[in-house]
Amino acid sequence: MSKEPVKEMSFLDHLEVLRWHLVRAFGSVFIFAILAFIFKGFVFDTVILAPSNPDFFTNRLLCELANILNMPLLCINQAQLSFQNINMSGQFTTHIWVSFVVGIVVGFPYIFWEFWRFVRPALYQNEINNSRGAIFFASTLFTIGILFAYYIICPLSVHFLGTYQVSESVENIVNLGSYISTITSIVLAGGIIFELPIFIYFLAKVGLVTSDFLIKYRKHSIVIALLLAAIITPPDVISQILVCFPLIILYESGIVIAKRLEKKRQTNLPDKN
């Protein structure tokens, strides 16, 4: 299908359009950040600090599983961590930073929608039709990644790093900023990593990668997945496996997506006869 003629825009016109999309995207982040700043009790007590609490869902589930399997090591985060703030403005700046991160996480679907609205005029109608549902799938994968990181990786990381000791004479009193930095980095990394199939989709769409290329470098992807798992998780085997396994599944999903795009592209080729 041919593309309908549209008025050609200059480079400055494109920048002006992009500017307003960015303004609206950052505006949504700012609004959600203000709401997060206001409801700090829910954000900190119910969400941020929860993985260190013995009553957290994952901690309770693992302890119940430990009782069933008679494996006490599975019962984690039963001793409440002690947090401290050593900077005069530490809690205030932490409050602002966390509110900003919450604004990004909650506003991600709208941010992606604004990005889609910017690139949509440059697409052909068949490309727009084939890309329907992109916002839904991108938002869904981002949410799944965040939930996976929050409910699986964060409790394991908190337990390992919070209880690790070089000597019994050294007590772990965790700095609040350090704890929150760890939690937010793990959660955001989880959300971004789970966007891998969407990333592969766009690369395959423009022809930068193919299914054969992805299959050829499958072994390399496993090594990269292990490295990423080692970066965003504590240095224990169980946590790294829990992160590496979904990464491999996401990569294999990317191969399937690339194959489907190639098959559709071959189907749409004009008949030479």
Side-chain angles (χ1 to χ4, degrees):
M1 181 181 293
S2 62
K3 195 174 183 180
E4 295 181 0
V6 294
K7 182 180 179 181
E8 186 176 351
M9 297 176 63
S10 67
F11 178 72
L12 292 178
D13 290 334
H14 283 292
L15 285 181
E16 179 65 16
V17 173
L18 176 61
R19 183 174 74 89
W20 282 107
H21 283 296
L22 292 176
V23 167
R24 287 189 290 268
F26 281 113
S28 68
V29 172
F30 183 70
I31 292 173
F32 287 120
I34 291 177
L35 292 175
F37 189 88
I38 295 173
F39 297 99
K40 67 175 182 178
F42 173 80
V43 171
F44 283 89
D45 295 332
T46 306
V47 179
I48 300 294
L49 299 178
S52 65
N53 194 312
D55 293 331
F56 187 62
F57 173 77
T58 305
N59 298 333
R60 288 189 288 106
L61 184 64
L62 287 176
C63 282
E64 292 175 2
L65 187 62
N67 293 330
I68 295 174
L69 300 177
N70 194 24
M71 298 176 61
L73 291 176
L74 289 177
C75 194
I76 62 174
N77 294 320
Q78 294 307 292
Q80 183 69 51
L81 286 179
S82 298
F83 298 102
Q84 67 172 356
N85 173 60
I86 59 176
N87 296 320
M88 179 68 73
S89 60
Q91 294 198 48
F92 180 70
T93 54
T94 298
H95 190 186
I96 294 176
W97 165 246
V98 170
S99 299
F100 178 72
V101 172
V102 172
I104 294 177
V105 171
V106 179
F108 176 81
Y110 183 79
I111 295 172
F112 191 83
W113 183 64
E114 285 292 346
F115 169 77
W116 167 249
R117 289 181 62 198
F118 176 70
V119 301
R120 180 174 177 172
L123 301 177
Y124 291 93
Q125 186 59 45
N126 63 331
E127 293 175 328
I128 295 175
N129 295 334
N130 293 334
S131 300
R132 284 178 179 173
I135 297 174
F136 171 77
F137 287 112
S139 301
T140 300
L141 287 172
F142 186 75
T143 302
I144 293 174
I146 285 178
L147 293 176
F148 176 80
Y150 179 70
Y151 282 102
I152 303 298
I153 307 304
C154 285
L156 294 173
S157 300
V158 169
H159 176 72
F160 179 86
L161 298 175
T163 60
Y164 187 86
Q165 290 179 293
V166 295
S167 173
E168 293 184 357
S169 61
V170 180
E171 181 182 1
N172 281 333
I173 302 177
V174 182
N175 180 269
L176 178 63
S178 174
Y179 171 85
I180 292 178
S181 176
T182 300
I183 295 297
T184 54
S185 62
I186 290 174
V187 168
L188 286 178
I192 294 172
I193 287 174
F194 269 65
E195 293 295 317
L196 182 61
I198 301 295
F199 183 64
I200 292 178
Y201 171 83
F202 282 109
L203 290 180
K205 190 71 176 177
V206 299
L208 292 179
V209 298
T210 62
S211 59
D212 292 336
F213 175 85
L214 295 173
I215 293 172
K216 178 181 178 181
Y217 290 97
R218 177 182 277 143
K219 294 181 180 179
H220 299 77
S221 70
I222 296 176
V223 175
I224 295 175
L226 289 170
L227 291 175
L228 286 174
I231 292 173
I232 66 175
T233 62
D236 66 278
V237 177
I238 296 178
S239 298
Q240 292 180 5
I241 291 176
L242 286 173
V243 174
C244 186
F245 188 66
L247 286 176
I248 295 174
I249 294 178
L250 291 171
Y251 187 85
E252 293 297 325
S253 301
I255 295 177
V256 174
I257 291 172
K259 285 183 177 180
R260 291 187 61 182
L261 284 175
E262 291 165 2
K263 184 177 180 180
K264 185 176 294 186
R265 192 177 293 120
Q266 290 293 328
T267 304
N268 294 333
L269 285 177
D271 190 353
K272 294 183 179 180
N273 296 327

